[in-house]
Amino acid sequence: MAFPLHIQNVDEDLAQELMEHYTGELTGFVRVGPSGYFLPHKYKEQAKDIYNMPIRSDDTFVVTYPRSGTTWTQELIWLLKNNLDFDTAKKTPLGNRFPYLEFSVLVHPVYEKFMIEENKESPARLSSVQAALLPSAQKAANIPSPRFIKSHLPLSLLPPGLLDTAKVVYVARDPRDAAVSHYHLSRLYRIQGAPKDFKTYWNYLIRGLHHFAPILDHIKEAWKLREHPNLLFIFYEDLSKDLPATIRRVAKFLGKQLTKDQILKLCDHLSFNNFKDNSAVNEMLLGKIDFLVKGEAPFIRKGKVGGWRDYFDAEMMEQADRWLLQNLADSDLRFPSWDLSYKTPSKGINAINVEYIRAKQGRD
């Protein structure tokens, strides 16, 4: 079928401004659909094929806004579906076991050539790079069943029959923490790039001007579908606060039964200290070539809930509260770690909306 959503090029002047920061993009950007999802220009080439990609009944998808617990959840799901095969998990890069669907959309053709050239002397790495760079639908078609697929695209840009056919685990995270983590990742990757200061990045993000944004629309799409039997909606904060309980939830959703001992082994494997030192998780296609910026934070960084407070000044905290209130006033979505930074609504904020949100959170 034809791709049903309007794709519009970002204004050339704005695109040029953004490309000074997002240095991995050399052509421009697009905004997609009513929410105006922000993506590299290359998305236009693959939108229809992704939307029409055949879904298999034994597929398992992890869908998130970037840096929302994606990798953590991928590893958990793969182990649950593969009878806790820790040995294979430790030996095989997660990207090979659980491929990133639209990775090629993010890699400009100029950088594609660099990646292939830099890896040509290592057949194994070259093969992995070439597989990762395949157009999304072709990549998915090449994965043997049962497939495990990661995507940062919102549900509205994925195949419309996805939830009626396959299992989807959606993970959401406090947007402020996700923003800090995505900022560091973008600065780490030369194929993305980010402003030198977080405040500039944040002001672009809340305008929906970063890959896969607007983040709240992304999350609200999944939240509205959380009762669908093939969708499990979980929060990053729950993974962090009570990993055993979240493991049980995911296992039940996937039809798996675990003993107490198996849950303990999973918790140990997935504990943050072990996870950040796991080479199969941290082995990145770009890690052995000159595409990682030296001195930037590693791929697995801190995983801290509420760490955003170290990056927001008072003005940004109030701005973030206002942004959250305005964008969630029409939804009962709440984040487990959300606590308003101020007690009295600031000028310009609808006090009714403030009370509405607080009531939804049991804070009235």
Side-chain angles (χ1 to χ4, degrees):
M1 67 178 73
F3 185 70
L5 302 175
H6 180 60
I7 301 178
Q8 181 176 357
N9 289 338
V10 169
D11 176 78
E12 185 175 349
D13 289 342
L14 177 57
Q16 289 296 329
E17 174 188 332
L18 293 170
M19 283 188 286
E20 292 181 8
H21 302 293
Y22 308 155
T23 51
E25 180 54 45
L26 305 173
T27 300
F29 306 93
V30 297
R31 304 203 74 163
V32 186
S35 292
Y37 287 113
F38 183 92
L39 291 159
H41 192 269
K42 193 177 177 183
Y43 174 75
K44 295 171 73 172
E45 302 171 10
Q46 300 189 32
K48 181 180 177 181
D49 289 340
I50 294 172
Y51 195 77
N52 288 288
M53 184 179 75
I55 301 298
R56 305 173 194 167
S57 59
D58 55 359
D59 287 344
T60 306
F61 277 67
V62 167
V63 180
T64 73
Y65 186 84
R67 308 305 282 177
S68 298
T70 322
T71 307
W72 215 357
T73 308
Q74 287 175 266
E75 184 77 348
L76 168 59
I77 288 173
W78 191 91
L79 285 165
L80 287 172
K81 294 287 284 186
N82 287 275
N83 301 314
L84 305 189
D85 186 355
F86 292 105
D87 287 340
T88 300
K90 291 174 181 177
K91 295 174 184 175
T92 310
L94 181 60
N96 293 352
R97 293 180 279 125
F98 215 126
Y100 182 3
L101 178 65
E102 67 276 3
F103 177 74
S104 63
V105 168
L106 302 177
V107 186
H108 192 276
V110 169
Y111 286 98
E112 281 190 13
K113 293 178 181 178
F114 288 158
M115 289 178 69
I116 291 171
E117 181 66 21
E118 291 291 332
N119 284 280
K120 66 182 182 181
E121 294 182 4
S122 170
R125 288 188 62 79
L126 179 60
S127 177
S128 294
V129 167
Q130 289 173 327
L133 292 174
L134 284 174
S136 304
Q138 184 181 346
K139 178 194 297 182
N142 289 350
I143 303 171
S145 293
R147 296 187 301 188
F148 301 93
I149 298 176
K150 156 191 166 179
S151 179
H152 291 314
L153 292 171
L155 291 172
S156 59
L157 302 190
L158 291 169
L162 175 61
L163 284 181
D164 294 328
T165 307
K167 293 282 190 180
V168 178
V169 177
Y170 186 95
V171 193
R173 186 181 189 183
D174 185 313
R176 296 164 296 188
D177 276 331
V180 169
S181 186
H182 200 194
Y183 168 71
H184 283 291
L185 183 74
S186 297
R187 287 184 58 80
L188 174 65
Y189 282 161
R190 293 191 189 280
I191 62 168
Q192 290 196 25
K196 292 182 179 180
D197 64 288
F198 175 74
K199 193 168 190 176
T200 299
Y201 167 86
W202 170 254
N203 282 311
Y204 282 135
L205 180 70
I206 61 175
R207 292 166 58 194
L209 297 175
H210 201 273
H211 297 150
F212 307 104
I215 182 173
L216 290 174
D217 284 40
H218 197 299
I219 298 171
K220 286 193 292 184
E221 278 193 24
W223 180 252
K224 289 178 182 178
L225 295 167
R226 68 192 182 279
E227 301 300 331
H228 194 290
N230 280 341
L231 176 73
L232 178 65
F233 188 107
I234 62 177
F235 287 103
Y236 177 93
E237 291 78 7
D238 292 334
L239 275 165
S240 179
K241 181 180 179 180
D242 194 344
L243 183 57
T246 307
I247 288 174
R248 288 191 289 268
R249 281 189 67 201
V250 177
K252 181 179 179 181
F253 176 69
L254 297 176
K256 298 291 183 179
Q257 293 186 338
L258 298 175
T259 66
K260 289 183 179 179
D261 184 58
Q262 288 174 322
I263 291 175
L264 287 174
K265 288 180 179 178
L266 272 170
C267 286
D268 180 65
H269 180 81
L270 296 169
S271 67
F272 189 79
N273 286 336
N274 287 337
F275 203 57
K276 70 179 182 178
D277 294 330
N278 185 337
S279 61
V281 170
N282 291 314
E283 174 66 23
M284 296 177 289
L285 290 172
L286 308 180
K288 294 184 179 179
I289 56 177
D290 192 24
F291 277 77
L292 297 183
V293 179
K294 294 179 181 179
E296 292 297 332
F299 179 72
I300 302 294
R301 205 173 59 86
K302 294 182 178 180
K304 184 179 177 182
V305 172
W308 62 269
R309 291 181 176 85
D310 297 333
Y311 291 80
F312 283 62
D313 59 27
E315 178 187 14
M316 292 171 70
M317 286 184 180
E318 184 168 326
Q319 178 193 43
D321 286 338
R322 182 182 297 110
W323 173 71
L324 285 163
L325 290 167
Q326 290 174 344
N327 283 278
L328 294 180
D330 61 348
S331 173
D332 60 355
L333 168 67
R334 62 185 178 89
F335 296 95
S337 62
W338 186 20
D339 188 12
L340 294 175
S341 299
Y342 55 87
K343 302 300 181 182
T344 303
S346 297
K347 183 179 180 181
I349 300 178
N350 188 327
I352 295 176
N353 286 348
V354 174
E355 294 307 319
Y356 175 84
I357 295 296
R358 285 176 172 161
K360 289 292 185 183
Q361 296 184 315
R363 298 183 186 279
D364 56 337

PDB file of all heavy atoms in Angstrom, residues 96-113:
ATOM      1  N   ASN A  96      23.905  -8.396  16.325  1.00  0.00           N
ATOM      2  CA  ASN A  96      23.704  -9.531  15.426  1.00  0.00           C
ATOM      3  C   ASN A  96      22.498 -10.362  15.837  1.00  0.00           C
ATOM      4  O   ASN A  96      21.802 -10.926  14.994  1.00  0.00           O
ATOM      5  CB  ASN A  96      24.945 -10.426  15.403  1.00  0.00           C
ATOM      6  CG  ASN A  96      26.141  -9.739  14.771  1.00  0.00           C
ATOM      7  OD1 ASN A  96      26.022  -8.654  14.213  1.00  0.00           O
ATOM      8  ND2 ASN A  96      27.305 -10.363  14.855  1.00  0.00           N
ATOM      9  N   ARG A  97      22.272 -10.450  17.148  1.00  0.00           N
ATOM     10  CA  ARG A  97      21.151 -11.253  17.648  1.00  0.00           C
ATOM     11  C   ARG A  97      19.831 -10.494  17.554  1.00  0.00           C
ATOM     12  O   ARG A  97      18.756 -11.095  17.436  1.00  0.00           O
ATOM     13  CB  ARG A  97      21.394 -11.635  19.106  1.00  0.00           C
ATOM     14  CG  ARG A  97      22.552 -12.594  19.317  1.00  0.00           C
ATOM     15  CD  ARG A  97      22.753 -12.945  20.779  1.00  0.00           C
ATOM     16  NE  ARG A  97      23.493 -11.936  21.535  1.00  0.00           N
ATOM     17  CZ  ARG A  97      23.071 -11.356  22.642  1.00  0.00           C
ATOM     18  NH1 ARG A  97      21.874 -11.635  23.126  1.00  0.00           N
ATOM     19  NH2 ARG A  97      23.828 -10.460  23.268  1.00  0.00           N
ATOM     20  N   PHE A  98      19.904  -9.168  17.627  1.00  0.00           N
ATOM     21  CA  PHE A  98      18.695  -8.337  17.759  1.00  0.00           C
ATOM     22  C   PHE A  98      18.921  -7.066  16.935  1.00  0.00           C
ATOM     23  O   PHE A  98      19.142  -5.990  17.474  1.00  0.00           O
ATOM     24  CB  PHE A  98      18.504  -7.989  19.239  1.00  0.00           C
ATOM     25  CG  PHE A  98      17.097  -7.911  19.718  1.00  0.00           C
ATOM     26  CD1 PHE A  98      16.694  -8.654  20.819  1.00  0.00           C
ATOM     27  CD2 PHE A  98      16.172  -7.085  19.096  1.00  0.00           C
ATOM     28  CE1 PHE A  98      15.401  -8.576  21.306  1.00  0.00           C
ATOM     29  CE2 PHE A  98      14.877  -6.986  19.567  1.00  0.00           C
ATOM     30  CZ  PHE A  98      14.485  -7.744  20.675  1.00  0.00           C
ATOM     31  N   PRO A  99      18.881  -7.165  15.598  1.00  0.00           N
ATOM     32  CA  PRO A  99      19.278  -6.047  14.731  1.00  0.00           C
ATOM     33  C   PRO A  99      18.406  -4.798  14.880  1.00  0.00           C
ATOM     34  O   PRO A  99      17.218  -4.865  15.216  1.00  0.00           O
ATOM     35  CB  PRO A  99      19.140  -6.645  13.316  1.00  0.00           C
ATOM     36  CG  PRO A  99      19.183  -8.119  13.512  1.00  0.00           C
ATOM     37  CD  PRO A  99      18.550  -8.376  14.843  1.00  0.00           C
ATOM     38  N   TYR A 100      19.036  -3.682  14.588  1.00  0.00           N
ATOM     39  CA  TYR A 100      18.419  -2.345  14.613  1.00  0.00           C
ATOM     40  C   TYR A 100      17.822  -2.095  13.235  1.00  0.00           C
ATOM     41  O   TYR A 100      18.541  -1.905  12.271  1.00  0.00           O
ATOM     42  CB  TYR A 100      19.506  -1.342  14.968  1.00  0.00           C
ATOM     43  CG  TYR A 100      19.107   0.110  15.094  1.00  0.00           C
ATOM     44  CD1 TYR A 100      17.792   0.542  14.967  1.00  0.00           C
ATOM     45  CD2 TYR A 100      20.084   1.070  15.345  1.00  0.00           C
ATOM     46  CE1 TYR A 100      17.460   1.875  15.085  1.00  0.00           C
ATOM     47  CE2 TYR A 100      19.767   2.406  15.473  1.00  0.00           C
ATOM     48  CZ  TYR A 100      18.448   2.810  15.343  1.00  0.00           C
ATOM     49  OH  TYR A 100      18.125   4.131  15.453  1.00  0.00           O
ATOM     50  N   LEU A 101      16.512  -2.079  13.154  1.00  0.00           N
ATOM     51  CA  LEU A 101      15.800  -2.052  11.883  1.00  0.00           C
ATOM     52  C   LEU A 101      16.240  -0.908  10.974  1.00  0.00           C
ATOM     53  O   LEU A 101      16.658  -1.111   9.841  1.00  0.00           O
ATOM     54  CB  LEU A 101      14.289  -1.978  12.125  1.00  0.00           C
ATOM     55  CG  LEU A 101      13.400  -1.898  10.887  1.00  0.00           C
ATOM     56  CD1 LEU A 101      13.497  -3.163  10.058  1.00  0.00           C
ATOM     57  CD2 LEU A 101      11.952  -1.614  11.283  1.00  0.00           C
ATOM     58  N   GLU A 102      16.126   0.326  11.449  1.00  0.00           N
ATOM     59  CA  GLU A 102      16.311   1.491  10.576  1.00  0.00           C
ATOM     60  C   GLU A 102      17.683   2.143  10.733  1.00  0.00           C
ATOM     61  O   GLU A 102      17.843   3.333  10.438  1.00  0.00           O
ATOM     62  CB  GLU A 102      15.205   2.527  10.821  1.00  0.00           C
ATOM     63  CG  GLU A 102      15.215   3.205  12.188  1.00  0.00           C
ATOM     64  CD  GLU A 102      14.524   2.413  13.272  1.00  0.00           C
ATOM     65  OE1 GLU A 102      14.050   1.279  13.007  1.00  0.00           O
ATOM     66  OE2 GLU A 102      14.449   2.925  14.405  1.00  0.00           O
ATOM     67  N   PHE A 103      18.679   1.374  11.173  1.00  0.00           N
ATOM     68  CA  PHE A 103      20.019   1.935  11.334  1.00  0.00           C
ATOM     69  C   PHE A 103      20.493   2.629  10.061  1.00  0.00           C
ATOM     70  O   PHE A 103      21.075   3.718  10.101  1.00  0.00           O
ATOM     71  CB  PHE A 103      21.007   0.832  11.730  1.00  0.00           C
ATOM     72  CG  PHE A 103      22.431   1.291  11.842  1.00  0.00           C
ATOM     73  CD1 PHE A 103      22.850   2.062  12.914  1.00  0.00           C
ATOM     74  CD2 PHE A 103      23.365   0.961  10.866  1.00  0.00           C
ATOM     75  CE1 PHE A 103      24.172   2.493  13.016  1.00  0.00           C
ATOM     76  CE2 PHE A 103      24.684   1.386  10.959  1.00  0.00           C
ATOM     77  CZ  PHE A 103      25.084   2.150  12.039  1.00  0.00           C
ATOM     78  N   SER A 104      20.242   2.017   8.907  1.00  0.00           N
ATOM     79  CA  SER A 104      20.738   2.580   7.649  1.00  0.00           C
ATOM     80  C   SER A 104      20.137   3.946   7.352  1.00  0.00           C
ATOM     81  O   SER A 104      20.748   4.759   6.649  1.00  0.00           O
ATOM     82  CB  SER A 104      20.454   1.625   6.483  1.00  0.00           C
ATOM     83  OG  SER A 104      19.060   1.440   6.308  1.00  0.00           O
ATOM     84  N   VAL A 105      18.954   4.222   7.881  1.00  0.00           N
ATOM     85  CA  VAL A 105      18.324   5.531   7.680  1.00  0.00           C
ATOM     86  C   VAL A 105      19.180   6.637   8.285  1.00  0.00           C
ATOM     87  O   VAL A 105      19.221   7.762   7.779  1.00  0.00           O
ATOM     88  CB  VAL A 105      16.904   5.543   8.292  1.00  0.00           C
ATOM     89  CG1 VAL A 105      16.339   6.959   8.351  1.00  0.00           C
ATOM     90  CG2 VAL A 105      15.965   4.635   7.491  1.00  0.00           C
ATOM     91  N   LEU A 106      19.885   6.310   9.364  1.00  0.00           N
ATOM     92  CA  LEU A 106      20.673   7.306  10.087  1.00  0.00           C
ATOM     93  C   LEU A 106      22.058   7.534   9.490  1.00  0.00           C
ATOM     94  O   LEU A 106      22.749   8.467   9.877  1.00  0.00           O
ATOM     95  CB  LEU A 106      20.838   6.881  11.549  1.00  0.00           C
ATOM     96  CG  LEU A 106      19.558   6.655  12.357  1.00  0.00           C
ATOM     97  CD1 LEU A 106      19.905   6.182  13.755  1.00  0.00           C
ATOM     98  CD2 LEU A 106      18.709   7.918  12.410  1.00  0.00           C
ATOM     99  N   VAL A 107      22.477   6.662   8.583  1.00  0.00           N
ATOM    100  CA  VAL A 107      23.839   6.732   8.056  1.00  0.00           C
ATOM    101  C   VAL A 107      23.822   7.347   6.662  1.00  0.00           C
ATOM    102  O   VAL A 107      23.330   6.753   5.701  1.00  0.00           O
ATOM    103  CB  VAL A 107      24.498   5.337   8.015  1.00  0.00           C
ATOM    104  CG1 VAL A 107      25.962   5.468   7.595  1.00  0.00           C
ATOM    105  CG2 VAL A 107      24.395   4.652   9.370  1.00  0.00           C
ATOM    106  N   HIS A 108      24.354   8.532   6.552  1.00  0.00           N
ATOM    107  CA  HIS A 108      24.406   9.226   5.260  1.00  0.00           C
ATOM    108  C   HIS A 108      25.271   8.422   4.283  1.00  0.00           C
ATOM    109  O   HIS A 108      26.248   7.777   4.690  1.00  0.00           O
ATOM    110  CB  HIS A 108      24.984  10.623   5.458  1.00  0.00           C
ATOM    111  CG  HIS A 108      24.815  11.510   4.276  1.00  0.00           C
ATOM    112  ND1 HIS A 108      25.697  11.505   3.212  1.00  0.00           N
ATOM    113  CD2 HIS A 108      23.850  12.427   3.969  1.00  0.00           C
ATOM    114  CE1 HIS A 108      25.297  12.380   2.311  1.00  0.00           C
ATOM    115  NE2 HIS A 108      24.175  12.953   2.744  1.00  0.00           N
ATOM    116  N   PRO A 109      24.930   8.425   2.984  1.00  0.00           N
ATOM    117  CA  PRO A 109      25.713   7.654   2.003  1.00  0.00           C
ATOM    118  C   PRO A 109      27.215   7.914   2.044  1.00  0.00           C
ATOM    119  O   PRO A 109      28.007   6.994   1.820  1.00  0.00           O
ATOM    120  CB  PRO A 109      25.111   8.108   0.660  1.00  0.00           C
ATOM    121  CG  PRO A 109      23.699   8.450   0.989  1.00  0.00           C
ATOM    122  CD  PRO A 109      23.734   9.048   2.366  1.00  0.00           C
ATOM    123  N   VAL A 110      27.619   9.136   2.353  1.00  0.00           N
ATOM    124  CA  VAL A 110      29.056   9.430   2.463  1.00  0.00           C
ATOM    125  C   VAL A 110      29.681   8.602   3.575  1.00  0.00           C
ATOM    126  O   VAL A 110      30.765   8.012   3.421  1.00  0.00           O
ATOM    127  CB  VAL A 110      29.281  10.932   2.710  1.00  0.00           C
ATOM    128  CG1 VAL A 110      30.734  11.207   3.092  1.00  0.00           C
ATOM    129  CG2 VAL A 110      28.903  11.731   1.473  1.00  0.00           C
ATOM    130  N   TYR A 111      28.999   8.506   4.726  1.00  0.00           N
ATOM    131  CA  TYR A 111      29.522   7.742   5.847  1.00  0.00           C
ATOM    132  C   TYR A 111      29.417   6.251   5.597  1.00  0.00           C
ATOM    133  O   TYR A 111      30.223   5.468   6.118  1.00  0.00           O
ATOM    134  CB  TYR A 111      28.788   8.134   7.131  1.00  0.00           C
ATOM    135  CG  TYR A 111      29.210   9.481   7.656  1.00  0.00           C
ATOM    136  CD1 TYR A 111      28.451  10.617   7.396  1.00  0.00           C
ATOM    137  CD2 TYR A 111      30.373   9.616   8.407  1.00  0.00           C
ATOM    138  CE1 TYR A 111      28.852  11.865   7.858  1.00  0.00           C
ATOM    139  CE2 TYR A 111      30.775  10.851   8.881  1.00  0.00           C
ATOM    140  CZ  TYR A 111      30.012  11.966   8.604  1.00  0.00           C
ATOM    141  OH  TYR A 111      30.413  13.198   9.058  1.00  0.00           O
ATOM    142  N   GLU A 112      28.425   5.825   4.831  1.00  0.00           N
ATOM    143  CA  GLU A 112      28.340   4.411   4.455  1.00  0.00           C
ATOM    144  C   GLU A 112      29.629   3.962   3.767  1.00  0.00           C
ATOM    145  O   GLU A 112      30.192   2.910   4.082  1.00  0.00           O
ATOM    146  CB  GLU A 112      27.166   4.177   3.501  1.00  0.00           C
ATOM    147  CG  GLU A 112      25.814   4.111   4.159  1.00  0.00           C
ATOM    148  CD  GLU A 112      24.750   3.641   3.173  1.00  0.00           C
ATOM    149  OE1 GLU A 112      25.109   3.151   2.089  1.00  0.00           O
ATOM    150  OE2 GLU A 112      23.555   3.774   3.489  1.00  0.00           O
ATOM    151  N   LYS A 113      30.084   4.766   2.816  1.00  0.00           N
ATOM    152  CA  LYS A 113      31.309   4.431   2.080  1.00  0.00           C
ATOM    153  C   LYS A 113      32.502   4.364   3.025  1.00  0.00           C
ATOM    154  O   LYS A 113      33.352   3.474   2.920  1.00  0.00           O
ATOM    155  CB  LYS A 113      31.554   5.457   0.979  1.00  0.00           C
ATOM    156  CG  LYS A 113      30.509   5.427  -0.132  1.00  0.00           C
ATOM    157  CD  LYS A 113      30.784   6.513  -1.169  1.00  0.00           C
ATOM    158  CE  LYS A 113      29.714   6.495  -2.256  1.00  0.00           C
ATOM    159  NZ  LYS A 113      29.925   7.585  -3.258  1.00  0.00           N
TER     160      LYS A 113
END
